[in-house]
Amino acid sequence: MNAQTQHPHTRQAFYRRDRRSVGLARKFAWRTLTDWAAAERGDDVLLCVSELATNALLHGVPAGRGFLLRLVLHTEGALRVEVHDSGPGEVGCPDPTPDADAEHGRGLLLVASLADKWGVGERNPGKIVWCEFLVK
């Protein structure tokens, strides 16, 4: 007997290196979540999309390039958010106690707090920073 393979839903969009891209990525993510009827954790997902897209623009997208936002809804109810960039640099563990006066350095701490899982994958060139949410 062959097990039937169920494929996840996937949507993706490419954004250029422009600060307006973060808002566009957030809107794309919201439309996708509502189309998939998976918006129950929408606020958390949108905040993580904003943080990962912002980090890509600030640290991972060289001039003349952009980043890819990919959303994947697996049949078992996990929503995966991936931001692919083509820049150098490593993503480290967030500092659990950032300086209270610092203007930066809390993005990945927020992602780690809101998402059920997060991590970094390799890409040549660049990296994939991802997070997952249980939505069903």
Side-chain angles (χ1 to χ4, degrees):
M1 177 156 114
N2 292 335
Q4 184 179 17
T5 303
Q6 301 226 354
H7 298 286
H9 296 287
T10 301
R11 287 198 188 162
Q12 61 187 30
F14 185 82
Y15 299 95
R16 60 191 179 107
R17 186 178 184 218
D18 184 308
R19 64 186 171 129
R20 293 172 292 190
S21 293
V22 174
L24 294 172
R26 204 172 33 249
K27 287 178 187 175
F28 171 78
W30 180 249
R31 281 193 313 271
T32 300
L33 291 176
T34 56
D35 287 350
W36 290 345
E40 61 267 12
R41 293 194 60 195
D43 290 339
D44 293 346
V45 172
L46 294 181
L47 182 55
C48 289
V49 166
S50 291
E51 293 299 335
L52 295 181
T54 298
N55 281 352
L57 288 176
L58 292 175
H59 308 294
V61 178
R65 295 192 183 166
F67 68 92
L68 177 78
L69 171 62
R70 176 178 294 149
L71 302 171
V72 181
L73 180 61
H74 294 275
T75 54
E76 69 275 2
L79 173 71
R80 184 176 176 103
V81 174
E82 298 177 353
V83 173
H84 300 231
D85 70 47
S86 57
E90 305 224 353
V91 177
C93 291
D95 181 358
T97 57
D99 183 358
D101 295 329
E103 294 182 13
H104 302 283
R106 292 177 182 81
L108 287 178
L109 185 59
L110 287 170
V111 171
S113 297
L114 296 172
D116 295 307
K117 295 181 195 176
W118 80 279
V120 181
E122 293 183 20
R123 179 175 185 264
N124 190 14
K127 64 198 153 300
I128 302 166
V129 184
W130 59 269
C131 58
E132 289 185 356
F133 301 85
L134 298 176
V135 294
K136 291 186 179 181

